[in-house]
C-alpha cells in the first residue's frame, strides 16, 4: 500500500476513459511528464504527492512577495517619474500608457508561450526575475539622467546635467522600452508562479495548502503590496523632497531583492520533487528535429503563432469567464489615474481620496479571506446539476491516477463552489456599482447647478460650494463594497482557468488572457482621452456600468450552460411557503 504522501500511478490499456484529475486540475502528464513510454505494462510508480510543507509555503510566498512588491512599486513610480520629467503636460504620460498597453497586447501571448515550452520550472522563474530586475535597474539609471537636467532640479543639486531635449527624448524612449520589458517579465513571473508552480504543488481540495488557499494567500500578498509599495515610494519622495531619491530607492530595492528571491525560489524547488520533474511540452511546440525552432521562424510565422494563441484561447471551456473578467478592466470607476483626477477636479481633497482608497483596499484584502470559505460553503450545498468539462487531451496519458470516491467528490464540490461563488462575486459587483453611478450623477448635477448660478450670486458664496456629504458617503461606501465582489470574481475565475485548462496550455492561455485584459485597459484609457472634460465623466461612469452588466450576463450564461440553472427557485419557493406558514 502507498502511504498518504504518495500517488499510486498505474498503466492502463484502456485509452477510452479520460485521466482522472486532482482538485488542482493537473494530470499524470504534469506530475510525471517523461515517465510515459518508459515503464512496462502493469508497472507501478510511486511519486511524492503534490503539496507543500510550511517551510516551502513560506519561501514560495516570500519569493512572490518580493516580486510583487517591486512590480507594484515600479508601476506606480514610473508614473511619478514621467510626471516629474514632463511637468505641465499629460502628453508624455498618455503616450507612455498607450505604448505600454499596445506592447502588452502584442507580446503577452509570446511570454505565455515561452513559459509553457520551458521545461525547467526553476530556470524559467529565475530568468523572469533577472530580466525584471535588470530592466528596473537600467531604467532607473536613465530616469536619473533625465531628472538630472538643469531645468528639472534646483540650483543647489549635487549632480546637474545641461538641458538637452534630444537626449531627454532619447532617454525617455529607452526608459519606456525598459519599462515594457519590465512589464512583460513581471507578467512572465506571474504566469510561471500562478499557472505553473502553484497549480503543480497545490494539495488536493480540502487539504492544507490546496489551490483555493494558495491562490487566496498569493492574491492577498499582491493586494497588500499594491497598497503599501506605492505609499512607501510616495513617502520617501515627499519626505526628502526629491524624485531622484525615489529613482535611486527603486533601483537599489530591485538590486537587493534579487538574492532573496533566488534563494527562496530555489529552496522551494530543491525540496519539492514534483517541481523538479520536467514539464511536458505540447506536441505543436516541438519540431521534427526534436527542438523548438522559435528562433528561425519568420515574422509571418510569429504572426500566425499570435492568432494561433487566440484560437487556443477561444477553444478552451473557460474563455467566457476569462473574457468577462477582462471586460471589468474597462470599468473606470476604479482607483486609476483618470478617476482620481476626476474626483480632484470636482472638489475632493487628496486626503479624502486617500482614505477612501485605503478603505477599498481593506475590502479587497478581505476578499482573499472570504473566497476560500465561500468556495467550500457553496460547493457543499446542492451541487447537483453539475456537468463536468472533459478534456480530450488527457486520453493521451495512458495512465490513470487512482483516487478514491471521496477525493473525486471534493473535486466536484470545489468546481461547483467556484462557479456559484464566482456568480455571487460578479453579482455583488453589479449591485454595488449601480448606487456608485447614481451618486456620481447626482454630485455632477449639483456641481453643474452651482456652475450655472448667476455671477452676482457667486460673489456672495464660496468659489466652489461644498460637496454633498450624504451622496459622497454613498459614493465611496458602495465603491468600497464593490471591490469585494470584483476580487472574489477574480479569484474564482483564476482557479477555474487553472483547473479547466489543459496542463500543457495553461501558460499560453494566461499569456493571451493578459493580452485581452490590456485590450480593455487600452479601450478604457482611449475612452477617457476621447472624453476628457470633467462634465463628461458621468457618461464614462454609465459606460462602466454597462461593461459590468455585460460581464455579469456573460458569466451568468456560462454558469447556466454548465449547471443548467442559476438559482434553485424551488428552494426559494419552499423557504417562502415555510415562512408564510410560520406567520
Amino acid at each position: 500500500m502507498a502511504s498518504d504522501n504518495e500517488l499510486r500511478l498505474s498503466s492502463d490499456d484502456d485509452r477510452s476513459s479520460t485521466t482522472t484529475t486532482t482538485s488542482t486540475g493537473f494530470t499524470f502528464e504534469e506530475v510525471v511528464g517523461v515517465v510515459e513510454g518508459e515503464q512496462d505494462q502493469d508497472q507501478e510508480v510511486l511519486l511524492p504527492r503534490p503539496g507543500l510543507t510550511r517551510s516551502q509555503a513560506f519561501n514560495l510566498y516570500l519569493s512572490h512577495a518580493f516580486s510583487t512588491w517591486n512590480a507594484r512599486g515600479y508601476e506606480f513610480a514610473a508614473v511619478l517619474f514621467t510626471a516629474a520629467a514632463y511637468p505641465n503636460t499629460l502628453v508624455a504620460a498618455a503616450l507612455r500608457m498607450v505604448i505600454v498597453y499596445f506592447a502588452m497586447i502584442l507580446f503577452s501571448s509570446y511570454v505565455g508561450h515561452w513559459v509553457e515550452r520551458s521545461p525547467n520550472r526553476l530556470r524559467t522563474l529565475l530568468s523572469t526575475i533577472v530580466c525584471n530586475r535588470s530592466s528596473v535597474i537600467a531604467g532607473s539609471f536613465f530616469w536619473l539622467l533625465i531628472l538630472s537636467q538643469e531645468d528639472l532640479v534646483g540650483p543647489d543639486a549635487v549632480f546637474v546635467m545641461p538641458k538637452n531635449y534630444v537626449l531627454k527624448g532619447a532617454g525617455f524612449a529607452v526608459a519606456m522600452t525598459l519599462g515594457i520589458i519590465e512589464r512583460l517579465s513581471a507578467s512572465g513571473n506571474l504566469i510561471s508562479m500562478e499557472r505553473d508552480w502553484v497549480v503543480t504543488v497545490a494539495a488536493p481540495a480540502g487539504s492544507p495548502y490546496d489551490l483555493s488557499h494558495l491562490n487566496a494567500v498569493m492574491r492577498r500578498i499582491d493586494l497588500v503590496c499594491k497598497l503599501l509599495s506605492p505609499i512607501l515610494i510616495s513617502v520617501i519622495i515627499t519626505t526628502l523632497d526629491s524624485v531622484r531619491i525615489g529613482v535611486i530607492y527603486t533601483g537599489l530595492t530591485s538590486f537587493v531583492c534579487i538574492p532573496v528571491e533566488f534563494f527562496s525560489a530555489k529552496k522551494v524547488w530543491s525540496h519539492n520533487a514534483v517541481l523538479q520533474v520536467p514539464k511536458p511540452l505540447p506536441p505543436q511546440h516541438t519540431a521534427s528535429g526534436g527542438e523548438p525552432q522559435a528562433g528561425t521562424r519568420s515574422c509571418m510565422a510569429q504572426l500566425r503563432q499570435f492568432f494561433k494563441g487566440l484560437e487556443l484561447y477561444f477553444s478552451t471551456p473557460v474563455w467566457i469567464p476569462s473574457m468577462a473578467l477582462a471586460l471589468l478592466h474597462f470599468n473606470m470607476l476604479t482607483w486609476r489615474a483618470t478617476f482620481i483626477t476626476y474626483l480632484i477636479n470636482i472638489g475632493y481633497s487628496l486626503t479624502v481620496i486617500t482614505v477612501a482608497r485605503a478603505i477599498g483596499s481593506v475590502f479587497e484584502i478581505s476578499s482573499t479571506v472570504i473566497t476560500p470559505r465561500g468556495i467550500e460553503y457553496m460547493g457543499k450545498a446542492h451541487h447537483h446539476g453539475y456537468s463536468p468539462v472533459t478534456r480530450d487531451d488527457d486520453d493521451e496519458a495512458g495512465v490513470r491516477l487512482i483516487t478514491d470516491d471521496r477525493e473525486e467528490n471534493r473535486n466536484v464540490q470545489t468546481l461547483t463552489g467556484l462557479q456559484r461563488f464566482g456568480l455571487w462575486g460578479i453579482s455583488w459587483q453589479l449591485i454595488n456599482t449601480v448606487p456608485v453611478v447614481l451618486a456620481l450623477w447626482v454630485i455632477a448635477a449639483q456641481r453643474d447647478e452651482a456652475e450655472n448660478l448667476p455671477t452676482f450670486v457667486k460673489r456672495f458664496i464660496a468659489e466652489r460650494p461644498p460637496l454633498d456629504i450624504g451622496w459622497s458617503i454613498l459614493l465611496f461606501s458602495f465603491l468600497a463594497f464593490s471591490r469585494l465582489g470584483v476580487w472574489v470574481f477574480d479569484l474564482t475565475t483564476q482557479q477555474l482557468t487553472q483547473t479547466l485548462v489543459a496542463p500543457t496550455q495553461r501558460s499560453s492561455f494566461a499569456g493571451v488572457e493578459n493580452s485581452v485584459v490590456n485590450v480593455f485597459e487600452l479601450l478604457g484609457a482611449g475612452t477617457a482621452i476621447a472624453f476628457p472634460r470633467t462634465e463628461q465623466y458621468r457618461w464614462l461612469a454609465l459606460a462602466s456600468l454597462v461593461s459590468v452588466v455585460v460581464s455579469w450576463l456573460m458569466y451568468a450564461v456560462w454558469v447556466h450552460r454548465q449547471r443548467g440553472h442559476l438559482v434553485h427557485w424551488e428552494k426559494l419557493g419552499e423557504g417562502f411557503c415555510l415562512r408564510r406558514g410560520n406567520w
Side-chain angles (χ1 to χ4, degrees):
M1 291 293 293
S3 65
D4 293 337
N5 294 325
E6 295 174 325
L7 287 176
R8 181 176 297 274
L9 302 168
S10 64
S11 60
D12 193 346
D13 292 333
D14 184 9
R15 300 299 180 95
S16 62
S17 61
T18 58
T19 305
T20 305
T21 59
T22 67
S23 61
T24 59
F26 52 79
T27 63
F28 168 81
E29 296 159 304
E30 188 174 21
V31 178
V32 184
V34 297
V35 174
E36 183 182 355
E38 296 181 0
Q39 49 182 336
D40 298 330
Q41 186 176 359
D42 299 329
Q43 180 181 358
E44 292 187 349
V45 180
L46 298 181
L47 290 176
R49 190 177 186 86
L52 290 171
T53 64
R54 179 174 297 182
S55 174
Q56 293 172 3
F58 172 79
N59 283 283
L60 185 74
Y61 298 151
L62 184 64
S63 177
H64 181 65
F66 276 97
S67 295
T68 307
W69 180 274
N70 284 280
R72 291 297 189 180
Y74 189 76
E75 179 183 5
F76 179 76
V79 176
L80 300 182
F81 301 161
T82 305
Y86 293 92
N88 306 319
T89 180
L90 296 177
V91 175
L95 179 64
R96 176 186 169 276
M97 180 174 59
V98 170
I99 291 177
V100 169
Y101 283 150
F102 265 119
M104 294 297 292
I105 292 170
L106 293 176
F107 299 116
S108 289
S109 60
Y110 296 110
V111 172
H113 179 72
W114 170 75
V115 173
E116 179 181 280
R117 61 189 177 89
S118 300
N120 190 301
R121 292 184 170 92
L122 179 64
R123 188 179 303 160
T124 303
L125 187 67
L126 297 185
S127 297
T128 63
I129 294 173
V130 171
C131 186
N132 187 268
R133 299 299 168 267
S134 300
S135 61
V136 171
I137 294 171
S140 299
F141 173 76
F142 282 96
W143 281 119
L144 191 62
L145 294 180
I146 294 171
L147 295 173
S148 296
Q149 294 198 9
E150 58 186 358
D151 60 325
L152 299 175
V153 296
D156 299 328
V158 176
F159 175 70
V160 181
M161 294 183 61
K163 182 169 61 176
N164 188 313
Y165 290 112
V166 175
L167 291 178
K168 181 179 179 180
F172 179 70
V174 174
M176 187 164 53
T177 303
L178 291 169
I180 293 172
I181 296 174
E182 187 277 332
R183 287 288 298 272
L184 289 172
S185 57
S187 174
N189 183 276
L190 195 62
I191 291 174
S192 178
M193 183 65 75
E194 290 187 349
R195 303 304 170 95
D196 188 11
W197 281 56
V198 169
V199 185
T200 301
V201 302
S207 305
Y209 304 114
D210 64 1
L211 191 56
S212 299
H213 174 83
L214 291 178
N215 282 336
V217 176
M218 301 286 273
R219 188 51 49 87
R220 191 178 309 150
I221 292 171
D222 182 24
L223 293 174
V224 170
C225 292
K226 180 182 177 181
L227 174 65
L228 297 182
S229 185
I231 290 177
L232 181 58
I233 294 177
S234 300
V235 169
I236 291 174
I237 293 176
T238 303
T239 303
L240 301 177
D241 193 24
S242 174
V243 180
R244 295 196 300 175
I245 297 297
V247 174
I248 295 173
Y249 161 79
T250 302
L252 286 178
T253 303
S254 292
F255 180 77
V256 171
C257 290
I258 293 176
V260 180
E261 291 182 69
F262 266 57
F263 174 78
S264 55
K266 190 171 183 179
K267 192 169 183 180
V268 177
W269 182 84
S270 61
H271 289 83
N272 195 293
V274 179
L275 283 176
Q276 297 176 29
V277 176
K279 291 188 299 183
L281 296 181
Q284 64 269 26
H285 292 326
T286 305
S288 58
E291 292 295 330
Q293 301 295 320
T296 61
R297 289 182 297 183
S298 63
C299 294
M300 289 301 298
Q302 294 283 352
L303 186 61
R304 284 195 297 269
Q305 180 62 42
F306 176 80
F307 286 106
K308 191 174 182 180
L310 290 177
E311 182 182 356
L312 163 67
Y313 178 81
F314 289 108
S315 67
T316 61
V318 287
W319 75 266
I320 294 179
S322 174
M323 181 70 74
L325 178 62
L327 183 57
L328 293 181
H329 287 262
F330 177 83
N331 185 5
M332 283 162 278
L333 297 177
T334 60
W335 294 108
R336 60 173 66 181
T338 52
F339 186 54
I340 294 174
T341 303
Y342 168 75
L343 292 176
I344 293 175
N345 288 341
I346 63 176
Y348 288 104
S349 67
L350 188 59
T351 302
V352 172
I353 294 173
T354 302
V355 172
R357 186 176 183 180
I359 294 174
S361 297
V362 172
F363 280 89
E364 291 178 346
I365 296 171
S366 67
S367 68
T368 63
V369 179
I370 295 172
T371 300
R373 294 169 174 80
I375 293 172
E376 184 177 4
Y377 176 78
M378 290 290 187
K380 284 182 178 179
H382 312 296
H383 61 270
H384 61 276
Y386 161 68
S387 56
V389 181
T390 59
R391 299 205 305 251
D392 295 337
D393 56 280
D394 290 338
D395 293 338
E396 301 176 358
V399 181
R400 288 186 296 106
L401 176 63
I402 301 177
T403 57
D404 55 22
D405 294 337
R406 183 174 59 182
E407 183 173 337
E408 183 63 24
N409 186 53
R410 290 287 309 188
N411 298 341
V412 175
Q413 288 183 2
T414 299
L415 187 54
T416 302
L418 288 169
Q419 294 170 342
R420 298 181 66 190
F421 201 55
L423 183 63
W424 182 93
I426 188 62
S427 300
W428 183 259
Q429 162 78 356
L430 175 59
I431 291 170
N432 287 280
T433 302
V434 173
V436 171
V437 175
L438 177 63
L440 194 146
W441 270 73
V442 172
I443 292 171
Q446 293 175 347
R447 180 181 180 276
D448 291 345
E449 291 177 3
E451 292 291 334
N452 294 329
L453 289 174
T455 305
F456 72 92
V457 175
K458 293 181 180 179
R459 294 176 180 175
F460 295 98
I461 61 176
E463 183 176 340
R464 175 176 289 177
L467 295 162
D468 187 276
I469 297 178
W471 285 107
S472 297
I473 293 175
L474 187 72
L475 171 67
F476 292 122
S477 297
F478 282 95
L479 185 64
F481 295 155
S482 70
R483 305 309 297 164
L484 174 64
V486 72
W487 285 107
V488 166
F489 184 55
D490 180 277
L491 279 169
T492 53
T493 302
Q494 175 184 313
Q495 189 166 341
L496 283 170
T497 57
Q498 289 171 325
T499 304
L500 298 180
V501 176
T504 55
Q505 297 176 342
R506 288 195 194 109
S507 298
S508 290
F509 178 90
V512 179
E513 187 178 47
N514 285 341
S515 296
V516 175
V517 166
N518 282 276
V519 167
F520 288 107
E521 290 275 10
L522 182 61
L523 287 175
T527 305
I529 293 174
F531 300 93
R533 296 199 303 272
T534 302
E535 59 270 18
Q536 295 175 323
Y537 204 87
R538 69 186 74 181
W539 297 105
L540 301 183
L542 187 60
S544 300
L545 176 60
V546 172
S547 70
V548 176
V549 172
V550 173
S551 178
W552 183 89
L553 287 174
M554 291 177 64
Y555 189 75
V557 168
W558 182 80
V559 172
H560 188 275
R561 186 182 302 170
Q562 299 299 314
R563 297 181 48 74
H565 62 274
L566 289 179
V567 180
H568 290 283
W569 297 108
E570 70 280 2
K571 299 294 181 181
L572 293 178
E574 292 175 4
F576 179 74
C577 294
L578 181 61
R579 185 171 297 179
R580 288 190 62 184
N582 291 336
W583 288 345

